[in-house]
């Protein structure tokens, strides 16, 4: 990684949460697994992270420290059945085909094509575009598409949808030491889920089979589960996707690799994979130890909490290099692993590739003219990343 790129990435982490930046920095010098007072076990070794993600008999995300514990408080007890164990397995088996490469490509075309054409045209005539804002609008449009909300509305309404997703995720911002939510946080999160998924029951009833809600109906998920799933998509697929899209644009610029991609656009998939590794949008994954287990020669006791520092684990392989050979240790740890492997992985990759393709269609390299990291957010991201094309229109 160039020094400039490293400085920008470090700045993003720091602005989002100084405590996260310090933890991830310290992890570079820490042993593969260590026990920290108040936080529990922290793991930065990619193989140990994977071992834990695959170890369903000894780790759960339902107990304190896991994301399921948070969402059960917001969505209700039925989440307990859905998030882990046999109920989760049934749901994942049914939901397996919700986001295939094909359905993701269709969703992206439906939600992104028009605004991305406008973006390309604006750049071509010499305009400046804020890619961070564009990504938030695009992701807002995607959520509207997924949740069966109308899409013929002004961009500000998509920004508002993104902001709702971010606020919902922010409920988790203060949960590093404990995932027990304060009553006001539960009330706020419930209000957001109610508002954002209000259209789901009607969509579940009436949406055509080709839509996400229509497919949920065809799969027989039931309206309550579909509404819970919609809430999950809102939390899981908002900031993660938007930050990955924006940081792809920044990283290519900061590493002076835009020309190379313009010359060989078939490398987009490699670029997307390498961006995801370096950026690791969900930098930490939490788990609860449900039964005593030995990991990395340490005894982890039932009731303890585990933080998988996936950002540190993925970045141990080195700086951003789209020519990097496949890293077997990390595989795709940026999407988690085991039974909870990201359900929207294909969609996220399609969203990133679509933005890059639209920029390449403008025909000339882009450069970053201004950037500003977002402060106090769960997922490190740019508040603003303005780009323009180099050379004459
Ligand atoms: C670059 C973007 C994304 C990244 C890096 C990412 C990362 C992750 C990770 C690490 C997990 C596992 C969490 C855990 O084990 O506790 C996860 C789960 C999940 N993600 Fe994503 N995600 C992204 C985008 C999306 C999108 C776009 C959607 C859907 C719209 C989505 C839906 C989900 C769902 C539903 C789960 C829960 C799966 C389960 O528990 O079975 N994600 N994601």
């Amino acid at each position: 990684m160039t020094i400039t790129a490293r400085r920008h990435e470090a700045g993003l982490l720091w602005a989002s949460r100084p405590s996260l930046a310090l933890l991830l920095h310290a992890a570079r010098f820490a042993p593969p697994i260590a026990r920290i007072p108040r936080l529990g076990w922290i793991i930065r070794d990619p193989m140990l992270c994977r071992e834990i993600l695959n170890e369903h008999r000894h780790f759960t995300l339902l107990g304190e420290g896991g994301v399921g514990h948070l969402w059960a408080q917001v969505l209700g007890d039925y989440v307990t059945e859905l998030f882990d164990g046999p109920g989760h397995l049934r749901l994942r088996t049914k939901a397996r085909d919700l986001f295939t490469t094909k359905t993701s490509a269709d969703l992206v075309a439906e939600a992104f094509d028009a605004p991305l054409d406008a973006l390309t045209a604006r750049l071509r005539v010499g305009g400046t575009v804020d890619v961070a804002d564009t990504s938030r609008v695009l992701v807002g449009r995607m959520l509207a598409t997924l949740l069966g909300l109308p899409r013929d509305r002004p961009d500000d309404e998509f920004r508002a949808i993104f902001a709702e997703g971010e606020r919902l995720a922010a409920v988790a911002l203060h949960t590093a030491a404990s995932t027990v939510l304060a009553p006001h946080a539960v009330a706020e999160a419930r209000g957001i889920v109610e508002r954002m998924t209000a259209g789901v029951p009607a969509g579940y009833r009436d949406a055509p089979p080709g839509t996400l809600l229509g497919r949920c109906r065809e799969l027989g998920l039931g309206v309550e589960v579909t509404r819970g799933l919609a809430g999950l998509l809102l939390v899981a697929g908002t900031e993660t996707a938007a930050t990955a899209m924006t940081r792809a644009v920044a990283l290519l610029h900061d590493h002076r690799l835009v020309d190379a991609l313009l010359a060989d656009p078939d490398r987009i998939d490699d670029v997307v994979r390498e961006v995801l590794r370096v950026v690791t949008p969900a930098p930490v994954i939490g788990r609860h130890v449900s039964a005593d287990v030995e990991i990395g020669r340490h005894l982890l006791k039932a009731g303890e909490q585990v933080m998988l520092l996936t950002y540190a684990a993925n970045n141990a392989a080195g700086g951003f290099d789209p020519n990097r050979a496949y890293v077997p240790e990390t595989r795709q740890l940026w999407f988690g692993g085991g039974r909870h492997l990201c359900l929207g992985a294909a969609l996220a990759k399609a969203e990133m590739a679509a933005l890059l393709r639209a920029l390449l269609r403008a025909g000339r390299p882009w450069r970053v003219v201004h950037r500003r990291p977002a402060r106090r957010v769960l997922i490190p991201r740019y508040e603003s990343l303005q780009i323009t094309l180099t050379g004459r229109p």
Side-chain angles (χ1 to χ4, degrees):
M1 227 190 230
T2 67
I3 291 174
T4 321
R6 207 176 289 142
R7 194 163 46 83
H8 287 310
E9 277 295 304
L12 272 190
L13 291 183
W14 182 261
S16 72
R17 277 182 289 162
S19 57
L20 173 73
L22 288 173
L23 179 65
L24 294 178
H25 179 72
R28 288 163 47 197
F29 312 101
I33 170 166
R35 194 161 185 281
I36 310 275
R38 270 176 45 82
L39 285 184
W41 292 95
I42 59 159
I43 288 101
R44 66 142 179 88
D45 177 80
M47 304 296 274
L48 293 182
C49 287
R50 185 173 311 290
E51 189 180 335
I52 290 173
L53 290 170
N54 282 320
E55 241 304 359
H56 305 288
R57 285 168 307 142
H58 297 96
F59 296 93
T60 169
L61 46 64
L62 287 176
E64 218 196 312
V67 70
H69 184 242
L70 275 175
W71 298 116
Q73 296 162 70
V74 175
L75 298 176
D77 280 344
Y78 76 93
V79 165
T80 313
E81 165 68 9
L82 271 189
F83 263 55
D84 235 343
H88 176 260
L89 197 60
R90 266 197 307 278
L91 173 68
R92 285 297 301 236
T93 310
K94 282 187 177 175
R96 198 173 39 210
D97 294 335
L98 283 185
F99 297 110
T100 61
T101 307
K102 164 84 174 81
T103 53
S104 300
D106 292 348
L107 280 165
V108 167
E110 192 183 338
F112 285 15
D113 272 4
L116 284 181
D117 284 348
L119 173 109
T120 308
R122 179 138 173 232
L123 285 171
R124 272 197 192 134
V125 297
T128 299
V129 166
D130 187 337
V131 179
D133 178 61
T134 304
S135 300
R136 291 194 287 271
V137 171
L138 289 171
V139 167
R141 286 179 68 90
M142 178 57 73
L143 287 166
T145 309
L146 297 177
L147 302 184
L149 303 169
R151 273 204 323 275
D152 52 345
R153 29 164 120 188
D155 282 354
D156 267 352
E157 295 193 20
F158 297 116
R159 291 187 183 97
I161 294 178
F162 179 92
E164 290 276 51
E166 188 165 54
R167 257 198 302 283
L168 188 55
V171 168
L173 196 59
H174 301 292
T175 56
S178 165
T179 44
V180 178
L181 296 175
H184 72 269
V186 173
E188 189 189 349
R190 278 192 188 148
I192 296 172
V193 173
E194 285 286 312
R195 276 195 301 282
M196 295 305 299
T197 64
V200 169
Y204 186 84
R205 200 180 53 233
D206 306 326
T211 60
L212 182 92
L213 295 181
R215 282 206 302 280
C216 288
R217 182 187 61 237
E218 307 266 290
L219 293 169
L221 292 187
V223 72
E224 188 185 37
V225 169
T226 302
R227 204 164 174 178
L229 187 64
L232 258 186
L233 300 183
L234 183 66
V235 180
T238 307
E239 291 167 293
T240 46
T243 199
M245 290 160 75
T246 310
R247 281 155 86 185
V249 178
L251 277 173
L252 284 164
H253 166 268
D254 295 343
H255 287 271
R256 301 188 191 90
L257 287 170
V258 180
D259 286 294
L261 189 59
L262 262 169
D264 191 1
D266 289 346
R267 302 295 312 279
I268 280 189
D269 288 350
D270 294 336
V271 166
V272 163
R273 192 189 59 232
E274 183 65 356
V275 167
L276 284 167
R277 183 185 69 79
V278 168
V279 163
T280 309
V284 177
I285 298 178
R287 286 291 185 270
H288 180 90
V289 185
S290 52
D292 290 5
V293 59
E294 195 180 306
I295 297 282
R297 300 217 192 108
H298 291 270
L299 179 66
L300 278 58
K301 296 220 175 103
E304 291 182 323
Q305 293 182 43
V306 170
M307 287 169 84
L308 309 178
L309 305 183
T310 46
Y311 181 93
N314 291 330
N315 274 281
F320 182 66
D321 175 7
N323 291 322
R324 178 181 302 286
Y326 173 72
V327 184
E329 292 80 20
T330 54
R331 258 189 262 171
Q332 46 172 349
L333 202 49
W334 42 92
F335 284 129
R339 281 187 193 164
H340 296 282
L341 184 74
C342 176
L343 185 65
L347 181 64
K349 289 190 280 187
E351 291 179 309
M352 293 170 71
L355 174 64
L356 291 178
R357 272 198 303 273
L359 296 182
L360 295 182
R361 272 199 303 276
R364 299 199 309 279
W366 64 85
R367 69 189 168 87
V368 175
V369 291
H370 173 77
R371 69 178 95 201
R372 184 158 46 91
R375 304 205 166 273
R376 305 281 310 138
V377 285
L378 180 68
I379 303 288
R381 66 165 174 85
Y382 283 108
E383 184 60 39
S384 168
L385 185 86
Q386 293 180 15
I387 64 161
T388 187
L389 297 189
T390 60
R392 287 183 180 282

